[in-house]
Amino acid sequence: MSEIADRPFLPRLSLALRGRCPACGQAPLFARFLKPVDHCSHCGQGWQGHQADDFPAYLVILLLGHIIIPIVVEVNLLFSPSVAIQMALWPTLTAILALLLIQPAKGAVIAFQWSRHMHGFEERQE
């Protein structure tokens, strides 16, 4: 329990959602759009051990389903837009939101794994 207590998740979550290193909060977590840096340039924490795999994408799909579907239903009830407008609007809105959510979701998964000493983060690398 003390190992988990030394890396609390919730304070680190906000850092990871903003693309900052969960360990120190000073340096970027990502080198490219979805590729984490090998090591934090400020604290030296290694990030190559994460195993986020497809979980961030699953989180984004779950979130988008809960965001888009109620909006589609409300817009259809209130405005009754044509099918052509809907065919352009909903896929575009969904794609934009997916691109905006995927990096924060991956950062959150990496921060969770780090805070719980999972996968490549068993030993402190600070």
Side-chain angles (χ1 to χ4, degrees), residues 24-53:
C24 69
Q26 301 299 313
L29 178 60
F30 294 98
R32 294 191 302 265
F33 183 61
L34 289 178
K35 177 156 178 46
V37 295
D38 288 335
H39 291 82
C40 175
S41 61
H42 185 261
C43 69
Q45 171 68 46
W47 296 112
Q48 68 277 13
H50 80 86
Q51 294 181 7
D53 299 328

Side-chain angles (χ1 to χ4, degrees), residues 24-84:
C24 69
Q26 301 299 313
L29 178 60
F30 294 98
R32 294 191 302 265
F33 183 61
L34 289 178
K35 177 156 178 46
V37 295
D38 288 335
H39 291 82
C40 175
S41 61
H42 185 261
C43 69
Q45 171 68 46
W47 296 112
Q48 68 277 13
H50 80 86
Q51 294 181 7
D53 299 328
D54 292 334
F55 190 53
Y58 294 134
L59 290 175
V60 169
I61 291 168
L62 181 70
L63 287 171
L64 283 178
H66 284 86
I67 293 170
I68 295 293
I69 298 303
I71 293 173
V72 169
V73 170
E74 276 303 307
V75 166
N76 277 307
L77 287 174
L78 294 174
F79 303 109
S80 299
S82 71
V83 173

Side-chain angles (χ1 to χ4, degrees), residues 65-120:
H66 284 86
I67 293 170
I68 295 293
I69 298 303
I71 293 173
V72 169
V73 170
E74 276 303 307
V75 166
N76 277 307
L77 287 174
L78 294 174
F79 303 109
S80 299
S82 71
V83 173
I85 290 173
Q86 291 189 59
M87 287 175 57
L89 178 66
W90 303 128
T92 303
L93 181 61
T94 302
I96 290 169
L97 287 175
L99 288 172
L100 291 173
L101 291 173
I102 191 69
Q103 189 182 50
K106 186 164 185 173
V109 170
I110 292 171
F112 182 77
Q113 291 176 353
W114 174 78
S115 72
R116 296 300 186 254
H117 300 266
M118 295 169 67
H119 306 299

